[in-house]
Amino acid sequence: EERFDPSAAVELASLQSRTLGEVVRGVNKESINLEAELILRTLGRERGSQLPAPQPAGRERPDDEAGCALIRLWLERAGIPTDGLALHDGSGLSRLNLVTPEATARLFARMSETPSADVFRASLPVAGRDGTLSHRLRSTPAAASRQPVAAKTGSLTYTNTLAGYATTKDGEPLAFAIFCNDETGRAPSTRTIDALVALLAHYPDFPAQKSEP
């Protein structure tokens, strides 16, 4: 019934883990949901004491709950609106999660201003090259450049999203977020999402669009 006290234990062996940047790179490139959940719980365990609110009365705050509270706190301090935001896990698989495209785009824009900007961008799938975007957006003008589209995919049944960074033909960096919910059409919404991102990458020289029935 006593909690484990590592200070009274004898260390037999140790193993140095990958850096957080390396872990996040694998999570974002390949959408590894388990590791995303573990990052959230580790955040709650390691930084939960920074939360201004006290522990819930009569119980210990779970690590995942603390992690979600820390994320909300960071967003608020970064000036990102959290009204209507509902966070319940680290992977985004819960149907109880509620996130807006505006908040997501503002998150990516804010991340580009932090000391971790380069590590974060390097963790994202690159259009036409690797991860979950290896077979998408190959025809954008930035696909073969030094600043190709880098974005995180997200999908559930009837839902597809893409959020990240695109660079226009004039070299202007953009942060974007596109959500397609309640899909019922025959054509996959990823085509629509990719077409929108391609327009961003072509700006201001939009390609001629073929009319479809």
Side-chain angles (χ1 to χ4, degrees):
E1 297 179 357
E2 296 180 359
R3 299 193 65 170
F4 173 67
D5 180 10
S7 64
V10 177
E11 181 179 305
L12 299 179
S14 64
L15 177 65
Q16 190 72 21
S17 74
R18 294 175 293 164
T19 66
L20 180 58
E22 291 170 335
V23 173
V24 171
R25 183 183 178 91
V27 169
N28 285 342
K29 290 283 189 185
E30 305 298 337
S31 286
I32 305 176
N33 294 318
L34 175 59
E35 291 194 3
E37 292 290 348
L38 294 175
I39 289 175
L40 177 72
R41 284 162 169 75
T42 301
L43 174 65
R45 170 64 65 177
E46 297 295 327
R47 297 289 186 265
S49 60
Q50 297 180 5
L51 290 170
Q55 288 275 2
R59 68 181 180 91
E60 182 179 355
R61 180 189 285 116
D63 294 338
D64 58 341
E65 183 180 308
C68 289
L70 285 163
I71 291 173
R72 181 179 291 273
L73 178 63
W74 188 93
L75 292 173
E76 292 171 349
R77 290 178 175 176
I80 299 171
T82 59
D83 295 340
L85 210 66
L87 305 175
H88 291 275
D89 61 17
S91 65
L93 291 176
S94 173
R95 288 288 184 178
L96 299 177
N97 290 314
L98 296 173
V99 183
T100 66
E102 178 184 358
T104 305
R106 288 182 180 274
L107 166 63
F108 277 81
R110 183 66 183 87
M111 283 300 299
S112 68
E113 301 169 351
T114 68
S116 302
D118 291 341
V119 174
F120 177 67
R121 181 166 185 140
S123 76
L124 300 173
V126 178
R129 296 187 188 179
D130 62 21
T132 53
L133 286 182
S134 60
H135 299 293
R136 292 174 58 180
L137 290 163
R138 291 180 172 178
S139 61
T140 61
S145 71
R146 291 186 177 182
Q147 290 295 327
V149 173
K152 181 69 184 74
T153 57
S155 62
L156 290 170
T157 304
Y158 308 121
T159 299
N160 264 306
T161 67
L162 188 67
Y165 303 107
T167 303
T168 69
K169 293 187 71 173
D170 289 344
E172 180 182 3
L174 303 175
F176 69 88
I178 304 170
F179 292 5
C180 293
N181 294 323
D182 302 323
E183 301 174 2
T184 56
R186 293 182 178 180
S189 60
T190 52
R191 294 181 184 176
T192 302
I193 293 173
D194 291 357
L196 291 172
V197 175
L199 288 176
L200 295 178
H202 279 93
Y203 183 84
D205 300 324
F206 295 124
Q209 299 295 309
K210 296 180 180 180
S211 60
E212 296 182 2

